[in-house]
Amino acid sequence: MVTGDAAYIKKINRSLIIREIVKEGMISRADLSKVTALTRATISAQVADLLDEGLIIETQLEHNHVGRKPIMLSLNGQAGYALGIDLDYGQLSFTLSNLLGQPISSTTIEIDTTDYFKILHLLMEQIQKYRSAYTDSQYGIVGIVIAIHGLVATDEIVHYVPRFNWHDVHLKNDLEKVLGINIYLENNANLSAFAERVFVHHETNNLLCATLYSGIGLGMMMNSEFFRGHDGYAGEAGHMIIMPGGKPCNCGNKGCWEKYASESSIFEYLSEKRKIKNLTYEQIQGWIDEGDEEVHELLEQFIYYLSIGLNNMINMYNPDVLVLDSELLRIYPNSLDKINKNLHSSISHYRELLISSIGKKSCGLGACALAIKYFLEVPMLNFYYNEQKEKNVSVIN
């Protein structure tokens, strides 16, 4: 039983109630009392406050049974919006969702600079546009989370972004000083892992998500919390050495995992070998379908080196679920079966290995979901992703 001052207990009870409403989608006051073990009087008082604040709504459940129709409680998805920003090399991606995590729009802006102050100005400009455009709800933009493809310290200082060559930049503080709104920074792989937990794997407490696009990042959810390490830098699995004395890496070492098993390594090789500047997945798909021997051999090698690193991750963390976020794995036939065949160690234990069903959108969705989690002050969320509701807009600068 929770003890303490009345304000603290009220806050804990509020969090319990909101979490169950989000988890169930629709729930009655009576059922809330049962699942939270709170008295009906407490439920009634808290629900009245949440209704006054516009965070929840009442719906009369239609049914054919005799008797009074139950009044159901739901989170008011239209009460506000969350903004997720993926700050990646060459582009800024913005995802806007309602409070139910349902994406409203996504916009990608191509950038041709790595200059910190130019990107900072662009971020300020775009965030202001979103704040001005979405003032039609009670709470407006409730939170902003920015995905960083690099090292983010526990104090949210950006320690290092390899492809931008940024060192110890205070992006959070610089944005908050001008915008006057809370900004949160998080590693991109962590946000992808969070999206997998929130939108797909609701009953999974220990989840790893390996993102394989511009490098290899490992998002880790342990007991439904981010596993960050001492300074917040845990998860840089792409810089685990799997080939001593191998290919040089930007980190300063040689033979890093991501030099052999990231999508960027495949794209760089094929672009150089075939003299194609802006290689696309569609072109690689075409070569796969045509039975291009070199491409098939390259992807078999990609899977082999990927499996070596995954074996290490499984043995170190013993996850319930390991999710692989890679478009190449999605388009290459039987890729998952081939990976599983390479994981034949008798001491490797995991429940499920699968390719992400969300894909590249996971980072933006995870950012939105984390902003909502902070706003609602709940320990975890259970949402469902409806891709058809999203409107995609691409803007090129």
Side-chain angles (χ1 to χ4, degrees):
M1 183 176 182
V2 178
T3 59
D5 65 69
Y8 176 72
I9 293 172
K10 184 176 181 180
K11 183 178 179 180
I12 295 296
N13 291 342
R14 176 189 172 95
S15 178
L16 284 172
I17 290 168
I18 293 175
R19 180 180 180 179
E20 290 302 322
I21 291 173
V22 173
K23 181 180 177 182
E24 298 300 325
M26 297 177 68
I27 190 170
S28 68
R29 288 170 173 81
D31 287 338
L32 262 180
S33 181
K34 290 176 185 176
V35 297
T36 61
L38 298 173
T39 66
R40 294 203 175 196
T42 298
I43 295 292
S44 294
Q46 289 272 4
V47 164
D49 287 344
L50 292 169
L51 287 168
D52 288 342
E53 294 168 25
L55 281 177
I56 64 173
I57 54 175
E58 291 182 316
T59 305
Q60 195 167 57
L61 188 64
E62 296 294 333
H63 64 93
N64 297 322
H65 300 297
V66 177
R68 187 176 177 181
K69 296 177 181 178
I71 302 297
M72 308 299 286
L73 304 170
S74 304
L75 187 68
N76 182 7
Q78 309 312 312
Y81 302 95
L83 182 60
I85 304 173
D86 186 4
L87 174 53
D88 200 359
Y89 182 78
Q91 64 181 35
L92 282 171
S93 299
F94 298 82
T95 302
L96 188 83
S97 81
N98 63 18
L99 289 191
L100 293 172
Q102 297 165 344
I104 305 299
S105 69
S106 65
T107 303
T108 297
I109 299 177
E110 295 186 3
I111 54 177
D112 59 1
T113 181
T114 60
D115 182 81
Y116 174 70
F117 293 101
K118 289 181 180 178
I119 292 175
L120 176 66
H121 177 76
L122 183 57
L123 282 169
M124 289 177 180
E125 183 179 73
Q126 293 300 315
I127 290 170
Q128 289 285 35
K129 286 182 180 179
Y130 273 97
R131 292 179 72 185
S132 299
Y134 291 93
T135 57
D136 59 332
S137 65
Q138 185 168 349
Y139 293 96
I141 303 291
V142 302
I144 299 170
V145 173
I146 302 177
I148 304 297
H149 292 245
L151 301 179
V152 183
T154 49
D155 57 6
E156 295 181 85
I157 293 173
V158 180
H159 176 64
Y160 180 48
V161 180
R163 301 193 74 181
F164 286 8
N165 198 29
W166 288 359
H167 295 269
D168 299 320
V169 297
H170 295 253
L171 179 62
K172 173 184 170 73
N173 289 341
D174 290 343
L175 287 171
E176 288 182 342
K177 277 190 295 187
V178 174
L179 299 172
I181 185 174
N182 287 336
I183 305 286
Y184 302 97
L185 306 185
E186 187 55 74
N187 174 265
N188 67 297
N190 276 348
L191 290 173
S192 290
F194 190 66
E196 295 291 342
R197 168 61 183 83
V198 169
F199 289 95
V200 182
H201 302 282
H202 295 157
E203 304 305 319
T204 301
N205 293 323
N206 299 298
L207 179 147
L208 301 182
C209 179
T211 60
L212 308 180
Y213 298 112
S214 57
I216 297 181
L218 188 70
M220 296 182 283
M221 300 292 299
M222 297 294 170
N223 296 317
S224 295
E225 298 283 350
F226 290 127
F227 180 79
R228 302 180 187 278
H230 177 66
D231 293 312
Y233 304 152
E236 290 299 317
H239 298 288
M240 168 181 58
I241 295 173
I242 64 164
M243 186 69 69
K247 299 175 184 177
C249 180
N250 291 337
C251 75
N253 282 326
K254 293 181 179 180
C256 291
W257 189 25
E258 67 179 40
K259 300 305 292 183
Y260 297 85
S262 66
E263 291 195 352
S264 58
S265 67
I266 302 296
F267 274 79
E268 286 169 11
Y269 175 84
L270 287 174
S271 293
E272 184 177 345
K273 185 76 181 293
R274 305 198 173 190
K275 309 301 180 186
I276 301 173
K277 188 175 182 181
N278 296 310
L279 186 62
T280 66
Y281 288 107
E282 288 73 22
Q283 287 170 299
I284 295 178
Q285 176 79 74
W287 293 329
I288 292 171
D289 295 341
E290 291 166 7
D292 188 300
E293 188 174 332
E294 182 185 34
V295 171
H296 277 267
E297 186 176 323
L298 187 64
L299 290 174
E300 290 292 330
Q301 191 177 61
F302 165 68
I303 284 175
Y304 170 73
Y305 285 119
L306 177 60
S307 302
I308 291 174
L310 292 177
N311 180 75
N312 294 341
M313 295 301 100
I314 290 166
N315 285 334
M316 279 192 285
Y317 297 108
N318 183 214
D320 294 339
V321 173
L322 178 53
V323 182
L324 306 177
D325 192 359
S326 164
E327 187 63 26
L328 286 181
L329 293 179
R330 273 186 281 275
I331 66 177
Y332 190 53
N334 305 314
S335 59
L336 199 58
D337 290 338
K338 292 174 180 179
I339 292 170
N340 274 309
K341 286 178 182 177
N342 287 331
L343 301 176
H344 44 63
S345 169
S346 60
I347 61 171
S348 294
H349 292 283
Y350 58 95
R351 180 164 56 84
E352 191 174 11
L353 172 69
L354 67 160
I355 298 171
S356 172
S357 59
I358 305 175
K360 279 192 171 182
K361 295 176 182 178
S362 64
C363 184
L365 285 172
C368 289
L370 190 61
I372 296 167
K373 176 182 180 293
Y374 289 148
F375 172 67
L376 296 177
E377 297 182 298
V378 293
M380 185 48 70
L381 298 165
N382 285 359
F383 285 150
Y384 297 89
Y385 176 50
N386 185 350
E387 187 175 5
Q388 294 180 347
K389 290 190 176 184
E390 185 177 1
K391 298 176 183 177
N392 293 305
V393 180
S394 182
V395 180
I396 301 177
N397 270 4

